[in-house]
PDB file of all heavy atoms in Angstrom:
ATOM      1  N   LEU A   8       0.822  -1.214  -0.014  1.00 91.00           N
ATOM      2  CA  LEU A   8       0.065  -0.011  -0.047  1.00 91.00           C
ATOM      3  C   LEU A   8       0.887   1.233   0.008  1.00 91.00           C
ATOM      4  O   LEU A   8       0.551   2.209  -0.649  1.00 91.00           O
ATOM      5  CB  LEU A   8      -0.889  -0.048   1.152  1.00 91.00           C
ATOM      6  CG  LEU A   8      -1.867   1.199   1.361  1.00 91.00           C
ATOM      7  CD1 LEU A   8      -2.850   1.267   0.123  1.00 91.00           C
ATOM      8  CD2 LEU A   8      -2.596   1.101   2.666  1.00 91.00           C
ATOM      9  N   THR A   9       1.953   1.198   0.756  1.00 89.00           N
ATOM     10  CA  THR A   9       2.828   2.418   0.811  1.00 89.00           C
ATOM     11  C   THR A   9       3.457   2.694  -0.537  1.00 89.00           C
ATOM     12  O   THR A   9       3.499   3.796  -0.985  1.00 89.00           O
ATOM     13  CB  THR A   9       3.942   2.122   1.859  1.00 89.00           C
ATOM     14  OG1 THR A   9       3.371   1.942   3.181  1.00 89.00           O
ATOM     15  CG2 THR A   9       4.872   3.368   1.863  1.00 89.00           C
ATOM     16  N   ILE A  10       3.913   1.607  -1.208  1.00 88.00           N
ATOM     17  CA  ILE A  10       4.452   1.803  -2.553  1.00 88.00           C
ATOM     18  C   ILE A  10       3.425   2.332  -3.516  1.00 88.00           C
ATOM     19  O   ILE A  10       3.717   3.275  -4.390  1.00 88.00           O
ATOM     20  CB  ILE A  10       5.082   0.426  -3.039  1.00 88.00           C
ATOM     21  CG1 ILE A  10       6.219  -0.001  -2.242  1.00 88.00           C
ATOM     22  CG2 ILE A  10       5.527   0.539  -4.508  1.00 88.00           C
ATOM     23  CD1 ILE A  10       6.795  -1.350  -2.533  1.00 88.00           C
ATOM     24  N   LEU A  11       2.308   1.697  -3.507  1.00 92.00           N
ATOM     25  CA  LEU A  11       1.225   2.144  -4.477  1.00 92.00           C
ATOM     26  C   LEU A  11       0.921   3.602  -4.225  1.00 92.00           C
ATOM     27  O   LEU A  11       0.841   4.418  -5.275  1.00 92.00           O
ATOM     28  CB  LEU A  11      -0.095   1.284  -4.133  1.00 92.00           C
ATOM     29  CG  LEU A  11      -1.327   1.688  -4.994  1.00 92.00           C
ATOM     30  CD1 LEU A  11      -1.092   1.454  -6.416  1.00 92.00           C
ATOM     31  CD2 LEU A  11      -2.499   0.849  -4.368  1.00 92.00           C
ATOM     32  N   VAL A  12       0.631   4.037  -3.045  1.00 91.00           N
ATOM     33  CA  VAL A  12       0.319   5.452  -2.824  1.00 91.00           C
ATOM     34  C   VAL A  12       1.477   6.337  -3.294  1.00 91.00           C
ATOM     35  O   VAL A  12       1.276   7.440  -3.828  1.00 91.00           O
ATOM     36  CB  VAL A  12       0.002   5.664  -1.348  1.00 91.00           C
ATOM     37  CG1 VAL A  12      -0.189   7.130  -1.020  1.00 91.00           C
ATOM     38  CG2 VAL A  12      -1.352   4.951  -1.024  1.00 91.00           C
ATOM     39  N   GLY A  13       2.702   5.988  -2.896  1.00 90.00           N
ATOM     40  CA  GLY A  13       3.900   6.732  -3.280  1.00 90.00           C
ATOM     41  C   GLY A  13       4.136   6.895  -4.776  1.00 90.00           C
ATOM     42  O   GLY A  13       4.628   7.958  -5.158  1.00 90.00           O
ATOM     43  N   GLN A  14       3.658   5.965  -5.572  1.00 91.00           N
ATOM     44  CA  GLN A  14       3.861   5.981  -7.057  1.00 91.00           C
ATOM     45  C   GLN A  14       2.740   6.591  -7.758  1.00 91.00           C
ATOM     46  O   GLN A  14       2.920   6.884  -9.058  1.00 91.00           O
ATOM     47  CB  GLN A  14       4.044   4.585  -7.514  1.00 91.00           C
ATOM     48  CG  GLN A  14       5.414   3.978  -7.046  1.00 91.00           C
ATOM     49  CD  GLN A  14       6.574   4.707  -7.588  1.00 91.00           C
ATOM     50  OE1 GLN A  14       6.761   4.933  -8.763  1.00 91.00           O
ATOM     51  NE2 GLN A  14       7.560   5.105  -6.670  1.00 91.00           N
ATOM     52  N   LEU A  15       1.606   6.825  -7.184  1.00 94.00           N
ATOM     53  CA  LEU A  15       0.473   7.364  -7.849  1.00 94.00           C
ATOM     54  C   LEU A  15       0.745   8.822  -8.470  1.00 94.00           C
ATOM     55  O   LEU A  15       0.325   9.079  -9.597  1.00 94.00           O
ATOM     56  CB  LEU A  15      -0.746   7.405  -6.960  1.00 94.00           C
ATOM     57  CG  LEU A  15      -1.454   6.038  -6.712  1.00 94.00           C
ATOM     58  CD1 LEU A  15      -2.670   6.191  -5.786  1.00 94.00           C
ATOM     59  CD2 LEU A  15      -1.964   5.589  -8.047  1.00 94.00           C
ATOM     60  N   PRO A  16       1.388   9.682  -7.776  1.00 93.00           N
ATOM     61  CA  PRO A  16       1.674  10.976  -8.357  1.00 93.00           C
ATOM     62  C   PRO A  16       2.517  10.830  -9.540  1.00 93.00           C
ATOM     63  O   PRO A  16       2.229  11.545 -10.565  1.00 93.00           O
ATOM     64  CB  PRO A  16       2.437  11.748  -7.179  1.00 93.00           C
ATOM     65  CG  PRO A  16       1.970  11.131  -5.889  1.00 93.00           C
ATOM     66  CD  PRO A  16       1.697   9.611  -6.316  1.00 93.00           C
ATOM     67  N   LYS A  17       3.551  10.010  -9.571  1.00 93.00           N
ATOM     68  CA  LYS A  17       4.405   9.920 -10.807  1.00 93.00           C
ATOM     69  C   LYS A  17       3.494   9.297 -11.960  1.00 93.00           C
ATOM     70  O   LYS A  17       3.640   9.774 -13.065  1.00 93.00           O
ATOM     71  CB  LYS A  17       5.519   8.954 -10.482  1.00 93.00           C
ATOM     72  CG  LYS A  17       6.496   8.858 -11.673  1.00 93.00           C
ATOM     73  CD  LYS A  17       7.521   7.720 -11.501  1.00 93.00           C
ATOM     74  CE  LYS A  17       8.527   8.178 -10.454  1.00 93.00           C
ATOM     75  NZ  LYS A  17       9.671   7.163 -10.423  1.00 93.00           N
ATOM     76  N   LEU A  18       2.578   8.407 -11.591  1.00 94.00           N
ATOM     77  CA  LEU A  18       1.676   7.932 -12.666  1.00 94.00           C
ATOM     78  C   LEU A  18       0.824   8.968 -13.157  1.00 94.00           C
ATOM     79  O   LEU A  18       0.468   8.912 -14.431  1.00 94.00           O
ATOM     80  CB  LEU A  18       0.837   6.823 -12.091  1.00 94.00           C
ATOM     81  CG  LEU A  18       0.042   5.836 -12.998  1.00 94.00           C
ATOM     82  CD1 LEU A  18       0.983   4.938 -13.634  1.00 94.00           C
ATOM     83  CD2 LEU A  18      -1.092   5.097 -12.255  1.00 94.00           C
ATOM     84  N   PHE A  19       0.428   9.971 -12.408  1.00 95.00           N
ATOM     85  CA  PHE A  19      -0.452  10.960 -12.909  1.00 95.00           C
ATOM     86  C   PHE A  19       0.334  12.230 -13.422  1.00 95.00           C
ATOM     87  O   PHE A  19      -0.172  13.213 -13.768  1.00 95.00           O
ATOM     88  CB  PHE A  19      -1.326  11.586 -11.693  1.00 95.00           C
ATOM     89  CG  PHE A  19      -2.539  10.623 -11.476  1.00 95.00           C
ATOM     90  CD1 PHE A  19      -2.425   9.355 -11.193  1.00 95.00           C
ATOM     91  CD2 PHE A  19      -3.817  11.087 -11.645  1.00 95.00           C
ATOM     92  CE1 PHE A  19      -3.599   8.543 -10.992  1.00 95.00           C
ATOM     93  CE2 PHE A  19      -4.935  10.284 -11.402  1.00 95.00           C
ATOM     94  CZ  PHE A  19      -4.828   9.054 -11.076  1.00 95.00           C
ATOM     95  N   GLY A  20       1.697  12.098 -13.409  1.00 92.00           N
ATOM     96  CA  GLY A  20       2.495  13.150 -14.089  1.00 92.00           C
ATOM     97  C   GLY A  20       2.899  14.362 -13.156  1.00 92.00           C
ATOM     98  O   GLY A  20       3.431  15.342 -13.634  1.00 92.00           O
ATOM     99  N   PHE A  21       2.791  14.198 -11.850  1.00 92.00           N
ATOM    100  CA  PHE A  21       3.304  15.296 -11.001  1.00 92.00           C
ATOM    101  C   PHE A  21       3.915  14.756  -9.732  1.00 92.00           C
ATOM    102  O   PHE A  21       4.080  13.515  -9.655  1.00 92.00           O
ATOM    103  CB  PHE A  21       2.064  16.299 -10.525  1.00 92.00           C
ATOM    104  CG  PHE A  21       0.973  15.534  -9.707  1.00 92.00           C
ATOM    105  CD1 PHE A  21       1.055  15.523  -8.403  1.00 92.00           C
ATOM    106  CD2 PHE A  21      -0.067  14.920 -10.347  1.00 92.00           C
ATOM    107  CE1 PHE A  21       0.054  14.872  -7.624  1.00 92.00           C
ATOM    108  CE2 PHE A  21      -1.114  14.391  -9.669  1.00 92.00           C
ATOM    109  CZ  PHE A  21      -1.060  14.385  -8.352  1.00 92.00           C
ATOM    110  N   SER A  22       4.433  15.573  -8.881  1.00 89.00           N
ATOM    111  CA  SER A  22       5.156  15.130  -7.687  1.00 89.00           C
ATOM    112  C   SER A  22       4.607  15.758  -6.501  1.00 89.00           C
ATOM    113  O   SER A  22       3.851  16.757  -6.538  1.00 89.00           O
ATOM    114  CB  SER A  22       6.656  15.391  -7.730  1.00 89.00           C
ATOM    115  OG  SER A  22       6.891  16.798  -7.833  1.00 89.00           O
ATOM    116  N   VAL A  23       4.810  15.182  -5.301  1.00 87.00           N
ATOM    117  CA  VAL A  23       4.204  15.674  -4.058  1.00 87.00           C
ATOM    118  C   VAL A  23       5.398  15.655  -2.971  1.00 87.00           C
ATOM    119  O   VAL A  23       6.396  14.825  -3.095  1.00 87.00           O
ATOM    120  CB  VAL A  23       3.088  14.864  -3.578  1.00 87.00           C
ATOM    121  CG1 VAL A  23       1.923  14.867  -4.448  1.00 87.00           C
ATOM    122  CG2 VAL A  23       3.534  13.393  -3.193  1.00 87.00           C
ATOM    123  N   ASP A  24       5.237  16.563  -2.002  1.00 81.00           N
ATOM    124  CA  ASP A  24       6.132  16.573  -0.909  1.00 81.00           C
ATOM    125  C   ASP A  24       5.373  15.941   0.248  1.00 81.00           C
ATOM    126  O   ASP A  24       4.419  16.475   0.730  1.00 81.00           O
ATOM    127  CB  ASP A  24       6.563  18.024  -0.564  1.00 81.00           C
ATOM    128  CG  ASP A  24       7.480  18.632  -1.608  1.00 81.00           C
ATOM    129  OD1 ASP A  24       8.248  17.801  -2.205  1.00 81.00           O
ATOM    130  OD2 ASP A  24       7.324  19.792  -1.869  1.00 81.00           O
ATOM    131  N   GLY A  25       5.866  14.682   0.680  1.00 74.00           N
ATOM    132  CA  GLY A  25       5.164  14.149   1.813  1.00 74.00           C
ATOM    133  C   GLY A  25       6.072  13.022   2.311  1.00 74.00           C
ATOM    134  O   GLY A  25       6.849  12.295   1.622  1.00 74.00           O
ATOM    135  N   ASP A  26       5.941  12.784   3.606  1.00 74.00           N
ATOM    136  CA  ASP A  26       6.722  11.771   4.250  1.00 74.00           C
ATOM    137  C   ASP A  26       5.852  10.846   4.997  1.00 74.00           C
ATOM    138  O   ASP A  26       5.208  11.179   6.001  1.00 74.00           O
ATOM    139  CB  ASP A  26       7.789  12.349   5.270  1.00 74.00           C
ATOM    140  CG  ASP A  26       8.626  11.418   5.926  1.00 74.00           C
ATOM    141  OD1 ASP A  26       8.791  10.251   5.401  1.00 74.00           O
ATOM    142  OD2 ASP A  26       9.317  11.659   6.921  1.00 74.00           O
ATOM    143  N   GLY A  27       5.661   9.660   4.472  1.00 78.00           N
ATOM    144  CA  GLY A  27       4.743   8.675   5.052  1.00 78.00           C
ATOM    145  C   GLY A  27       3.575   8.515   4.291  1.00 78.00           C
ATOM    146  O   GLY A  27       3.207   9.311   3.428  1.00 78.00           O
ATOM    147  N   LEU A  28       2.789   7.434   4.557  1.00 85.00           N
ATOM    148  CA  LEU A  28       1.638   7.018   3.713  1.00 85.00           C
ATOM    149  C   LEU A  28       0.566   8.050   3.759  1.00 85.00           C
ATOM    150  O   LEU A  28       0.081   8.470   2.712  1.00 85.00           O
ATOM    151  CB  LEU A  28       1.146   5.653   4.327  1.00 85.00           C
ATOM    152  CG  LEU A  28      -0.118   5.158   3.655  1.00 85.00           C
ATOM    153  CD1 LEU A  28       0.063   4.738   2.207  1.00 85.00           C
ATOM    154  CD2 LEU A  28      -0.676   4.003   4.434  1.00 85.00           C
ATOM    155  N   PHE A  29       0.229   8.562   4.872  1.00 88.00           N
ATOM    156  CA  PHE A  29      -0.929   9.560   4.953  1.00 88.00           C
ATOM    157  C   PHE A  29      -0.511  10.927   4.335  1.00 88.00           C
ATOM    158  O   PHE A  29      -1.399  11.445   3.593  1.00 88.00           O
ATOM    159  CB  PHE A  29      -1.322   9.680   6.359  1.00 88.00           C
ATOM    160  CG  PHE A  29      -1.902   8.374   7.065  1.00 88.00           C
ATOM    161  CD1 PHE A  29      -1.041   7.775   7.999  1.00 88.00           C
ATOM    162  CD2 PHE A  29      -3.084   7.906   6.593  1.00 88.00           C
ATOM    163  CE1 PHE A  29      -1.585   6.518   8.548  1.00 88.00           C
ATOM    164  CE2 PHE A  29      -3.506   6.735   7.092  1.00 88.00           C
ATOM    165  CZ  PHE A  29      -2.790   6.008   8.186  1.00 88.00           C
ATOM    166  N   ALA A  30       0.673  11.354   4.565  1.00 87.00           N
ATOM    167  CA  ALA A  30       1.040  12.551   3.948  1.00 87.00           C
ATOM    168  C   ALA A  30       1.162  12.511   2.442  1.00 87.00           C
ATOM    169  O   ALA A  30       0.719  13.352   1.697  1.00 87.00           O
ATOM    170  CB  ALA A  30       2.448  12.987   4.528  1.00 87.00           C
ATOM    171  N   GLU A  31       1.660  11.298   1.853  1.00 89.00           N
ATOM    172  CA  GLU A  31       1.586  11.270   0.458  1.00 89.00           C
ATOM    173  C   GLU A  31       0.229  11.047  -0.108  1.00 89.00           C
ATOM    174  O   GLU A  31       0.000  11.557  -1.161  1.00 89.00           O
ATOM    175  CB  GLU A  31       2.517   9.965   0.149  1.00 89.00           C
ATOM    176  CG  GLU A  31       4.016  10.174   0.381  1.00 89.00           C
ATOM    177  CD  GLU A  31       4.795   8.947   0.027  1.00 89.00           C
ATOM    178  OE1 GLU A  31       4.277   7.826   0.009  1.00 89.00           O
ATOM    179  OE2 GLU A  31       5.971   9.100  -0.209  1.00 89.00           O
ATOM    180  N   ALA A  32      -0.580  10.391   0.535  1.00 91.00           N
ATOM    181  CA  ALA A  32      -1.970  10.195   0.102  1.00 91.00           C
ATOM    182  C   ALA A  32      -2.718  11.513   0.064  1.00 91.00           C
ATOM    183  O   ALA A  32      -3.442  11.865  -0.861  1.00 91.00           O
ATOM    184  CB  ALA A  32      -2.726   9.225   1.006  1.00 91.00           C
ATOM    185  N   ALA A  33      -2.440  12.290   1.167  1.00 92.00           N
ATOM    186  CA  ALA A  33      -3.144  13.728   1.118  1.00 92.00           C
ATOM    187  C   ALA A  33      -2.470  14.615  -0.010  1.00 92.00           C
ATOM    188  O   ALA A  33      -3.285  15.326  -0.574  1.00 92.00           O
ATOM    189  CB  ALA A  33      -2.838  14.280   2.522  1.00 92.00           C
ATOM    190  N   GLY A  34      -1.204  14.459  -0.193  1.00 92.00           N
ATOM    191  CA  GLY A  34      -0.588  15.301  -1.286  1.00 92.00           C
ATOM    192  C   GLY A  34      -1.071  14.870  -2.613  1.00 92.00           C
ATOM    193  O   GLY A  34      -1.344  15.766  -3.389  1.00 92.00           O
ATOM    194  N   PHE A  35      -1.205  13.622  -2.789  1.00 93.00           N
ATOM    195  CA  PHE A  35      -1.767  13.162  -4.021  1.00 93.00           C
ATOM    196  C   PHE A  35      -3.157  13.583  -4.319  1.00 93.00           C
ATOM    197  O   PHE A  35      -3.624  14.073  -5.432  1.00 93.00           O
ATOM    198  CB  PHE A  35      -1.796  11.594  -4.178  1.00 93.00           C
ATOM    199  CG  PHE A  35      -2.460  11.001  -5.325  1.00 93.00           C
ATOM    200  CD1 PHE A  35      -2.040  11.178  -6.566  1.00 93.00           C
ATOM    201  CD2 PHE A  35      -3.671  10.331  -5.108  1.00 93.00           C
ATOM    202  CE1 PHE A  35      -2.644  10.594  -7.706  1.00 93.00           C
ATOM    203  CE2 PHE A  35      -4.280   9.815  -6.161  1.00 93.00           C
ATOM    204  CZ  PHE A  35      -3.853   9.925  -7.474  1.00 93.00           C
ATOM    205  N   ALA A  36      -4.006  13.512  -3.253  1.00 94.00           N
ATOM    206  CA  ALA A  36      -5.446  14.027  -3.410  1.00 94.00           C
ATOM    207  C   ALA A  36      -5.481  15.542  -3.769  1.00 94.00           C
ATOM    208  O   ALA A  36      -6.279  15.978  -4.559  1.00 94.00           O
ATOM    209  CB  ALA A  36      -6.176  13.770  -2.123  1.00 94.00           C
ATOM    210  N   ARG A  37      -4.569  16.309  -2.984  1.00 93.00           N
ATOM    211  CA  ARG A  37      -4.548  17.786  -3.339  1.00 93.00           C
ATOM    212  C   ARG A  37      -4.087  18.038  -4.706  1.00 93.00           C
ATOM    213  O   ARG A  37      -4.648  18.903  -5.440  1.00 93.00           O
ATOM    214  CB  ARG A  37      -3.590  18.469  -2.321  1.00 93.00           C
ATOM    215  CG  ARG A  37      -4.219  18.573  -0.861  1.00 93.00           C
ATOM    216  CD  ARG A  37      -3.348  19.521  -0.059  1.00 93.00           C
ATOM    217  NE  ARG A  37      -2.019  19.067   0.031  1.00 93.00           N
ATOM    218  CZ  ARG A  37      -1.590  18.278   1.107  1.00 93.00           C
ATOM    219  NH1 ARG A  37      -2.436  17.877   2.054  1.00 93.00           N
ATOM    220  NH2 ARG A  37      -0.339  17.943   1.208  1.00 93.00           N
ATOM    221  N   GLY A  38      -3.150  17.303  -5.225  1.00 93.00           N
ATOM    222  CA  GLY A  38      -2.617  17.475  -6.602  1.00 93.00           C
ATOM    223  C   GLY A  38      -3.678  17.194  -7.529  1.00 93.00           C
ATOM    224  O   GLY A  38      -3.850  17.957  -8.603  1.00 93.00           O
ATOM    225  N   VAL A  39      -4.418  16.133  -7.470  1.00 94.00           N
ATOM    226  CA  VAL A  39      -5.511  15.801  -8.292  1.00 94.00           C
ATOM    227  C   VAL A  39      -6.594  16.808  -8.278  1.00 94.00           C
ATOM    228  O   VAL A  39      -7.076  17.353  -9.370  1.00 94.00           O
ATOM    229  CB  VAL A  39      -6.167  14.400  -8.023  1.00 94.00           C
ATOM    230  CG1 VAL A  39      -7.356  14.129  -8.886  1.00 94.00           C
ATOM    231  CG2 VAL A  39      -5.141  13.345  -8.287  1.00 94.00           C
ATOM    232  N   ALA A  40      -6.898  17.326  -7.087  1.00 93.00           N
ATOM    233  CA  ALA A  40      -7.914  18.298  -6.995  1.00 93.00           C
ATOM    234  C   ALA A  40      -7.602  19.598  -7.571  1.00 93.00           C
ATOM    235  O   ALA A  40      -8.392  20.398  -8.002  1.00 93.00           O
ATOM    236  CB  ALA A  40      -8.302  18.505  -5.445  1.00 93.00           C
ATOM    237  N   ALA A  41      -6.257  19.942  -7.511  1.00 92.00           N
ATOM    238  CA  ALA A  41      -5.773  21.177  -8.036  1.00 92.00           C
ATOM    239  C   ALA A  41      -5.511  21.122  -9.546  1.00 92.00           C
ATOM    240  O   ALA A  41      -5.075  22.154 -10.135  1.00 92.00           O
ATOM    241  CB  ALA A  41      -4.456  21.608  -7.377  1.00 92.00           C
ATOM    242  N   GLY A  42      -5.847  20.015 -10.187  1.00 92.00           N
ATOM    243  CA  GLY A  42      -5.697  19.904 -11.670  1.00 92.00           C
ATOM    244  C   GLY A  42      -4.227  19.745 -12.111  1.00 92.00           C
ATOM    245  O   GLY A  42      -4.000  20.089 -13.294  1.00 92.00           O
ATOM    246  N   GLU A  43      -3.372  19.134 -11.251  1.00 93.00           N
ATOM    247  CA  GLU A  43      -2.039  18.967 -11.688  1.00 93.00           C
ATOM    248  C   GLU A  43      -1.725  17.814 -12.596  1.00 93.00           C
ATOM    249  O   GLU A  43      -0.629  17.522 -13.012  1.00 93.00           O
ATOM    250  CB  GLU A  43      -1.081  18.877 -10.418  1.00 93.00           C
ATOM    251  CG  GLU A  43      -1.042  20.181  -9.559  1.00 93.00           C
ATOM    252  CD  GLU A  43      -0.127  20.003  -8.347  1.00 93.00           C
ATOM    253  OE1 GLU A  43       0.854  19.172  -8.397  1.00 93.00           O
ATOM    254  OE2 GLU A  43      -0.360  20.743  -7.300  1.00 93.00           O
TER     255      GLU A  43
END
């Protein structure tokens, strides 16, 4: 699960700043919501 969540931003074409599963999941959600 940690790997999957950590790779989702790269799959969607952007990057996030986050340390840990929950921070990376939140960063991914914000990136998608912001249209990145």
Side-chain angles (χ1 to χ4, degrees):
L8 181 61
T9 301
I10 294 172
L11 173 64
V12 171
Q14 292 297 306
L15 283 176
K17 185 189 289 188
L18 192 74
F19 278 61
F21 61 91
S22 60
V23 299
D24 292 326
D26 183 17
L28 176 65
F29 297 108
E31 290 181 338
F35 171 68
R37 286 193 298 269
V39 172
E43 296 181 22

